[in-house]
Amino acid sequence: MAKSHGSQIKDDKLYEELRKQGESKEKAARIANARANGSLDHRSDRLEDRSKDELYEEARKIGIEGRSKMNKSALVDAVRNHK
């Protein structure tokens, strides 16, 4: 059974799994809570198939710095490797 992480974490088991995988506390909490309330974006398309504008917006949402100077390939790498 997963340890309770308080009322701010809605899916303790998923949160713990993500933390074991090396995700930050903030990212693990966002993913666990989004999955729990059904708002997790289930994009199954490859990052390379997204437009540069879509990648830029994703980078903005997750707080990647320097994104305005990145080309599409750099945005793909930055989004994929964000932790």
Side-chain angles (χ1 to χ4, degrees):
M1 174 118 187
K3 174 185 167 190
S4 175
H5 296 281
S7 62
Q8 69 273 19
I9 305 297
K10 306 302 180 202
D11 186 336
D12 291 312
K13 183 177 177 185
L14 178 58
Y15 176 82
E16 287 181 15
E17 289 175 22
L18 292 166
R19 291 290 292 143
K20 285 178 186 175
Q21 293 172 14
E23 301 297 347
S24 69
K25 290 179 181 180
E26 180 181 278
K27 186 172 182 179
R30 282 194 321 259
I31 293 170
N33 291 342
R35 170 96 34 92
N37 73 21
S39 67
L40 187 64
D41 186 11
H42 296 286
R43 293 188 84 147
S44 62
D45 58 334
R46 297 174 346 120
L47 290 175
E48 292 81 4
D49 294 338
R50 296 187 194 178
S51 71
K52 183 178 177 186
D53 290 338
E54 290 173 317
L55 291 165
Y56 180 87
E57 183 61 25
E58 181 72 17
R60 186 192 65 75
K61 285 180 184 176
I62 59 179
I64 295 173
E65 294 185 16
R67 62 191 174 270
S68 63
K69 296 178 180 156
M70 294 181 185
N71 62 22
K72 182 177 176 178
S73 178
L75 285 167
V76 167
D77 290 340
V79 169
R80 179 171 285 135
N81 296 315
H82 175 71
K83 289 194 178 195

